[in-house]
Amino acid sequence: MFGGYGYLMWTENTTAPGTAWATGWGGQRIGWNYGNDRMVVVFSSREAWIPEVYELARDWGVVAR
């Protein structure tokens, strides 16, 4: 799902372009949209639904203010 990696950070998300992600244990994620500074913070112990989080981040990144 990612085209790039930095120390504890993932970049170039194919589902949510223009975002970077910090990945924690299980389903914990923090996503930054570096085009408009919006964030998504998720806490969970399961990763099964993480693709839906990336879709949510993609949609949240294009919503008009």
Side-chain angles (χ1 to χ4, degrees):
M1 279 201 163
F2 295 94
Y5 173 75
Y7 183 70
L8 300 177
M9 299 291 295
W10 294 91
T11 61
E12 301 174 36
N13 184 303
T14 57
T15 304
T19 60
W21 294 84
T23 302
W25 182 82
Q28 299 171 353
R29 298 287 190 279
I30 301 173
W32 293 269
N33 182 310
Y34 44 82
N36 61 19
D37 295 330
R38 291 186 178 178
M39 295 178 69
V40 174
V41 179
V42 179
F43 295 95
S44 177
S45 60
R46 296 182 51 226
E47 291 193 34
W49 51 268
I50 291 300
E52 294 172 15
V53 170
Y54 299 145
E55 292 171 6
L56 174 70
R58 178 195 61 215
D59 296 344
W60 174 235
V62 297
V63 171
R65 291 183 181 204

